[in-house]
Every structure is written in structure tokens, then in C-alpha cells.
Amino acid sequence: MCGIIGFTGKLDAKEVLLEGLKTLEYRGYDSAGIAFVTDGGIKTIKRKGKVDNLYNTVKEESNDVTTCGIGHTRWATHGGVSDINSHPHTAGKVTLIHNGIIENYQELQAELETKGKKPISQTDTEIAAMVINDLYDGNPINTIKKADEVLHGAYGFCIMFEDFPGEIYCIRNGSPLVAGICDDGAVIASDVVALIKYTKDYFVLPEHQIAKLTPDKITVMDLDGNELCPEMLHVSWDIAAARKGGYDYFMLKEIHEQPEALRNTILPRVKNGMPDFTTDGISDDLFTDCNRIIIAGCGTAMHAGLVGKNMIEKLIRVPVSVEIASEFRYADPIVDEKTLLITISQSGETADTLAALRLAKEKGAKTLSIVNVKGSSIARESDYVLYTHAGPEIAVASTKAYTVQLACIYLTAFRMAIAKKCISDAEVKELVACLMKTIEDVEKILKYDKQIETIAHMLDKAEDLFFIGRGLDYALSCEGSIKLKEISYIHSEAYAAGELKHGTISLITDNVPCIALATQEHVYAKMISNVQEVRSRGAGVILITNAGVTVDAALCDHQIILPKMDDRFAPFGAAVVLQYIAYYAAVSRGLNVDQPRNLAKSVTVE
Ligand code: AGP
């Protein structure tokens, strides 16, 4: 998830770009760069490190006066963190910046190399620049139309053509681009936070349409150059809320970023409807030889493992154990060269998870990590890495990182099933299609916010509450409980619903809230019985179900109904509901949602 900005007008473009990148820095901050028009052509200055580092470099290296340019702050996906991999990238007459992932960049690179054209960086973005330059016929619109047919994946591009100084051409597919015009010029960015200094009236560039920015206007066209009128929007919040994109907290922003994060994580690993780890450099050999799988992590990351265990064991019938990393590392675990250890970590720096990884490697295990931060310790020390592409997660409570971890562990399960010949291509394609559908399901559930905000008030006076579920719903109960506890400070416990009668149900008395998950078809009837048991003892019940079930109104105070989902994928939807419940419970108590007491975003100590 990168930050991009373009400007052309009357102002000092370098100042506009650098200031814009500063407001966009939360979207990615491992390197940054700008390119701008000078009398001698397009000049690029880019550096590894934060925007401040770039700012100082620009001050040192450029006295140019310029009124047109593009800027980028990077969250590395393809290619390590380095000056040469940072954006903008130039190929011939084309200079561009990019937010997203080009899925077919390797095939495109191979084609270019047959023409003797080799990239100098390790990025998919440079390949895109080379492709566009290769297609360039002197007409930017025609060129972009042809490129849009060739480039596959998620992208938001800002492109400058050397022959057209003062003009910026933009197109997107999946990755966000918003633009607006003011008396001083035209501005476009990946997030409205970078526009509001200049205008609060903006539009979202529709996908596969081209925005042409000139100093006094923005023209939106279809790929044939026919002018279009995008819907204009208005920003209602002030600049102080800017970095949060108008949201009150990063956590809410990151909850809403989940469709983009899921798209950026899943799409590059699906080729012709099949799971594909080629880009990740992970071969099926990693899976064929293992006869035991251990998933280790902490907190929410470990909870993602609980969900992954269910899918992996269903598909390949190999035992999977999910370990709390801080326990695993001192348990003298049974691990050998036939063991595959999967570590899950958003930060890639959690001390206990890193220690678990090192211990398993010492004992001969092969290791795969699912990590969000490129080049982090756990990523570097694993044999293989499956990066999630959620972009930086600022709020302490993990939300988008969790759902993309689920996506990665599911893709791993699918790949394992192919490697071990446990499944037909048709069955895999059906699973992949269900995984892709979770993106639209999450988008639908994001619209439940007002309903859930109202329901969450049921917890205003709660001191203790229970999350109950069976199977995958128990795994989700664990995640819902930690989310609620860590930001609202309400004590809660996650309980396997069938276990309640073995002691805990003695705690269920009048109005004790129970958040019951009943999305799993094969245990639905049993789960409803458990809900009746707590209801009959006076519990206040919030019931989360899949679509298509009829529930007796007396059974619960509130029912939250997911869109119709294959229940193996219901965790993606239920997770968003649980995130909302925790968020609104904490907001209702006036707490600092992003920085809850006693906690840190990454626990790099034991
Ligand atoms: C989750 O909301 C918490 N912030 C915490 O449990 C977190 O998941 C855990 O500390 C693991 O962090 P990691 O994913 O960076 O390893």
C-alpha cells in the first residue's frame, strides 16, 4: 500500500509533492522519491528511508524551479528496500509511480528481455514503465489504452511523458486514486488526505478510465479518449484528521482497508483461477515432504493459525498443531526435518515468534513465514516467506493484517492440497473463487457499521462477557475476545460452546452478554442449543449467523447476518463484525482505540 501524489499548476511542485508525501507516509515509508519537469527534461530524486530523508536530499540536490511532478512513498512488495527499487521509475520517455502489484510482470519482463531490454531494479513497477515506453506511439491516451490491456493486477499509475511536459496521465485498477482541481493547479493522490490542503471537492477516478492533469483542468476519459464526467465528492473533515483519512482512528481506517489489502494479497497469487506461489519463490517441494505442520504465532496472528489449521487438515489430512509461540519455545517441542513450521506475524519482529522459528530451524524443520513487513527479522530468517500486502498497520489492534493472514494461510492450504495430490483442479478453482469472493463480502459487511455501532451499546455496562462458538466459530471467538479486551478493557473469554456446560455456564446470569457465532453449518443445530442454554439463564445474546437461517426472535437480542458465504470462508466476514463490535465498544467508552494502555504494536521483547 504506497502513497502516491501528482501535481501540475502554478505552485512549486517539489514543495507540493514533498508535503503530500509526508501526509501519505502512513501508507508506506521504506523509501520515497519525486520526479519533476525541468528545462532539461524529467528529473528524478529518490532515496531509501523516510520522506524526511528525501526532503533533505532534494534540498541538497535540486535548485530547479518546477510546477509539475509526481511523488511516491513506498511499502515494498516486489524488490527489496533500496534507492534503485524506490519510485519513480523511468524507461525511455516514460516516468511513473505505482501503487499496487503487477501480477504478470515476470512474463512481461521475459518478453522485454527478448528485445534486449533489461530492468535495472527488481520491481514490477519498472517493468510497467518499460512496457508503457515500449508501447509509446507519441499519443499518451493510445499508449495507456494498450498498456491497460497488457498489464494485469492492481495498479494506480501517475505517468509523465517527456514529450508532454506539464501533463500527468493517470489510470487505476483496484488501487485508489482521487483527484481535484483548485486555482493553483490539479492534484491527484492515492488518498484524499493529500488533496484537502488544495481542495475539498474531489472525485474518485473510476477504474480503467484516464485522468489527464494539466495546470488548469483535469480531463477524465474512457480508453478511447471520450470525455466523461466523474461524480464529484466533498470532504467534510479537517486536516487534523488527515492522516487517518477522515476516520476517527487508524483502526477504523484499517478495518475499511481490508478489501484493498485482500485484493493486493490474493490477486498476485492466483493465475488462471489456481493458487500460484511462483512470484514468492515457493515450490511445492516444501509441502510434499512434510508429514507434520506446526503453526506458531502470538495473539491475533496465532488466531489466524487456528483458522488455517481447520482448512489445511480438511484438505490434506496431515496433523496441524497451532502453538502459542511463547509456550512452544520452552516446551522442547517434537520437531524434525519432516516438520513444516509456519510462523505468522504482522510485524515480523515479535520476539517469541522469532524464537520459535529459530528453535524449529535448529531442530531441522523447514520454515515458511506469513509476514506483513518486508525484510523483517522473521521474514529474513525463514526459508520461505509469503508476504501479506496489507500496507502498514498503525493501530495496535490488528485487523487488516489478520484477514490477509487468513488469505495467505488458505492459499497455502490450497497449494499443499495440489502438491499432495489431495484435490482436483476443479475443486481448487472453486476454493479460490470462494476466497476471491471474500473481498466483495467484506465490502458488504463494512456497510454494517451503523447497525453494529448501535448493537455495541449493549456492552456499555458490561464487565464480563463471553464469545462462544464451535469449530471455526470457536477460532473466531478467540479473535473477537482479544480484539474486545485489548481496546475496550472489557474482560471477555472465548469458549468452545460445547464446553460451557462443563463449568463456565455457572457464570451466565441475567444480562451477561454472550456473543455467539453460528456460521458453521455442520454444527449449527448444536450451536443453537448452546445459545438456548445461555439464553435460558438470562444471557444477553448477540448472534452472528450466515445468511439463509431463520432464528427465533426470542433466542437473541440482536442477530447480525453475514452475506451468504461458504461457511469455510465465513471467518473473513465474521472477523469484520467482531472488529466493529470491539471498535464501537471502545469508542463508546471514550478510550484511545489506536493506542490502548499497556500495549505496543510490536512486542519485540519476551
Ligand atoms: C492483536 O490485535 C494484537 N495487537 C497482538 O495480539 C498481536 O497480534 C501480537 O502481538 C502478534 O504481533 P505480530 O503479528 O506482529 O507478530
Side-chain angles (χ1 to χ4, degrees):
M1 193 166 298
C2 305
I4 62 179
I5 182 169
F7 173 79
T8 181
K10 303 171 192 161
L11 302 175
D12 174 344
K14 290 187 291 184
E15 284 304 320
V16 172
L17 298 175
L18 291 167
E19 192 171 331
L21 291 179
K22 197 70 191 147
T23 61
L24 292 165
E25 195 162 34
Y26 68 86
R27 290 181 64 87
Y29 35 73
D30 52 46
S31 58
I34 62 172
F36 46 89
V37 174
T38 69
D39 296 339
I42 295 173
K43 185 172 186 178
T44 296
I45 301 174
K46 58 185 188 176
R47 284 292 183 282
K48 178 178 169 182
K50 296 217 167 207
V51 173
D52 288 343
N53 184 35
L54 173 69
Y55 186 89
N56 296 333
T57 307
V58 170
K59 290 300 171 203
E60 286 159 18
E61 295 187 5
S62 165
N63 295 318
D64 305 279
V65 174
T66 176
T67 59
C68 177
I70 53 179
H72 184 275
T73 183
R74 186 172 181 236
W75 177 264
T77 52
H78 291 85
V81 178
S82 65
D83 292 353
I84 201 157
N85 285 340
S86 47
H87 303 205
H89 286 278
T90 295
K93 289 181 176 282
V94 171
T95 296
L96 60 73
I97 51 180
H98 167 224
N99 175 23
I101 293 170
I102 302 301
E103 295 163 31
N104 61 332
Y105 82 97
Q106 288 177 311
E107 296 98 271
L108 296 169
Q109 181 171 345
E111 279 170 43
L112 288 163
E113 290 180 354
T114 61
K115 301 175 189 171
K117 297 171 181 174
K118 284 186 177 303
I120 56 173
S121 76
Q122 297 84 44
T123 65
D124 56 339
T125 303
E126 187 190 4
I127 298 303
M130 292 171 70
V131 165
I132 293 171
N133 185 62
D134 208 39
L135 293 167
Y136 180 56
D137 58 8
N139 178 322
I141 304 300
N142 284 348
T143 301
I144 293 170
K145 176 180 180 180
K146 288 182 286 185
D148 190 57
E149 289 158 9
V150 168
L151 298 171
H152 302 156
Y155 48 82
F157 288 121
C158 291
I159 307 166
M160 293 198 292
F161 294 88
E162 198 173 80
D163 299 338
F164 296 84
E167 298 179 5
I168 300 171
Y169 293 81
C170 311
I171 188 167
R172 63 179 277 259
N173 178 37
S175 300
L177 273 179
V178 293
I181 188 90
C182 65
D183 295 341
D184 295 321
V187 56
I188 191 161
S190 43
D191 193 325
V192 70
V193 296
L195 302 188
I196 55 177
K197 178 178 179 180
Y198 309 101
T199 177
K200 288 196 168 187
D201 296 308
Y202 71 101
F203 63 89
V204 177
L205 179 61
E207 293 187 320
H208 303 293
Q209 293 182 14
I210 298 169
K212 174 184 173 184
L213 278 66
T214 53
D216 55 2
K217 70 184 283 198
I218 299 177
T219 311
V220 175
M221 296 164 267
D222 66 18
L223 293 171
D224 295 317
N226 303 307
E227 277 203 43
L228 302 166
C229 288
E231 179 196 358
M232 290 307 292
L233 304 171
H234 181 76
V235 179
S236 55
W237 35 268
D238 62 21
I239 202 152
R243 288 184 63 241
K244 302 185 190 96
Y247 293 95
D248 292 339
Y249 290 102
F250 275 110
M251 182 181 175
L252 188 58
K253 180 175 179 56
E254 288 154 10
I255 288 171
H256 281 256
E257 286 174 341
Q258 289 180 104
E260 182 184 5
L262 283 165
R263 195 176 289 119
N264 288 345
T265 299
I266 297 168
L267 290 185
R269 286 134 178 172
V270 175
K271 300 273 188 296
N272 306 318
M274 295 288 281
D276 184 301
F277 287 168
T278 314
T279 312
D280 307 286
I282 300 173
S283 89
D284 283 353
D285 297 346
L286 176 64
F287 307 126
T288 42
D289 304 344
C290 70
N291 62 16
R292 182 158 178 258
I293 297 164
I294 297 172
I295 301 176
C298 300
T300 287
M302 186 271 288
H303 295 156
L306 295 173
V307 176
K309 164 188 166 74
N310 189 289
M311 179 59 82
I312 295 171
E313 286 188 339
K314 265 198 174 51
L315 291 182
I316 68 171
R317 310 312 293 164
V318 168
V320 179
S321 63
V322 181
E323 304 291 342
I324 295 171
S326 55
E327 290 294 303
F328 177 81
R329 63 181 295 194
Y330 295 112
D332 188 16
I334 300 164
V335 173
D336 63 23
E337 66 289 342
K338 289 286 186 188
T339 304
L340 170 62
L341 176 83
I342 300 175
T343 48
I344 302 178
S345 174
Q346 188 285 131
S347 63
E349 300 297 347
T350 298
D352 286 321
T353 309
L354 181 57
L357 168 65
R358 288 171 176 166
L359 175 63
K361 285 182 76 172
E362 277 168 27
K363 290 174 172 278
K366 294 193 186 66
T367 59
L368 166 67
S369 64
I370 296 175
V371 173
N372 195 43
V373 179
K374 200 163 183 63
S376 53
S377 303
I378 290 170
R380 281 199 317 273
E381 297 191 24
S382 298
D383 298 324
Y384 298 93
V385 188
L386 204 47
Y387 279 112
T388 54
H389 298 310
E393 189 176 67
I394 311 295
V396 164
S398 192
T399 51
K400 61 179 181 174
Y402 173 74
T403 42
V404 295
Q405 285 162 359
L406 297 186
C408 279
I409 199 80
Y410 270 35
L411 286 166
T412 302
F414 303 164
R415 206 58 243 170
M416 285 175 172
I418 295 169
K420 289 180 172 291
K421 302 187 183 354
C422 305
I423 195 168
S424 70
D425 283 6
E427 287 166 324
V428 174
K429 287 188 175 182
E430 191 254 330
L431 288 168
V432 170
C434 286
L435 182 61
M436 302 273 278
K437 181 179 173 290
T438 63
I439 299 171
E440 70 184 62
D441 291 333
V442 167
E443 278 169 340
K444 287 176 188 168
I445 296 167
L446 287 176
K447 297 184 172 73
Y448 290 17
D449 49 342
K450 292 302 170 220
Q451 175 199 4
I452 296 175
E453 181 177 13
T454 306
I455 292 172
H457 283 303
M458 190 177 139
L459 310 182
D460 279 353
K461 299 198 173 15
E463 309 233 319
D464 297 285
L465 68 92
F466 292 87
F467 289 82
I468 59 174
R470 288 173 174 258
L472 281 174
D473 285 335
Y474 171 51
L476 266 289
S477 295
C478 296
E479 177 54 16
S481 179
I482 195 174
K483 269 305 81 67
L484 184 75
K485 283 182 285 197
E486 69 177 325
I487 62 173
S488 75
Y489 313 150
I490 301 171
H491 175 253
S492 70
E493 268 186 82
Y495 241 83
E499 192 61 4
L500 276 171
K501 53 189 174 295
H502 300 286
T504 310
I505 202 162
S506 64
L507 295 177
I508 306 294
T509 58
D510 277 356
N511 303 318
V512 169
C514 274
I515 298 174
L517 290 99
T519 69
Q520 300 300 300
E521 237 168 282
H522 69 297
V523 287
Y524 178 77
K526 295 289 181 202
M527 188 58 208
I528 293 302
S529 302
N530 295 139
V531 177
Q532 283 159 345
E533 286 159 15
V534 298
R535 191 69 171 163
S536 62
R537 287 163 177 79
V541 174
I542 297 171
L543 181 60
I544 301 169
T545 69
N546 212 332
V549 295
T550 308
V551 169
D552 179 343
L555 187 65
C556 58
D557 297 274
H558 302 282
Q559 184 186 358
I560 299 170
I561 304 172
L562 303 180
K564 186 67 189 143
M565 299 178 83
D566 176 308
D567 63 2
R568 297 167 295 181
F569 296 82
F572 290 85
V576 178
V577 171
L578 295 172
Q579 291 162 5
Y580 266 157
I581 290 174
Y583 173 80
Y584 287 113
V587 166
S588 177
R589 289 168 179 242
L591 298 170
N592 181 340
V593 173
D594 286 339
Q595 293 160 354
R597 67 189 181 205
N598 309 340
L599 288 169
K601 182 58 186 169
S602 176
V603 184
T604 55
V605 295
E606 288 203 32

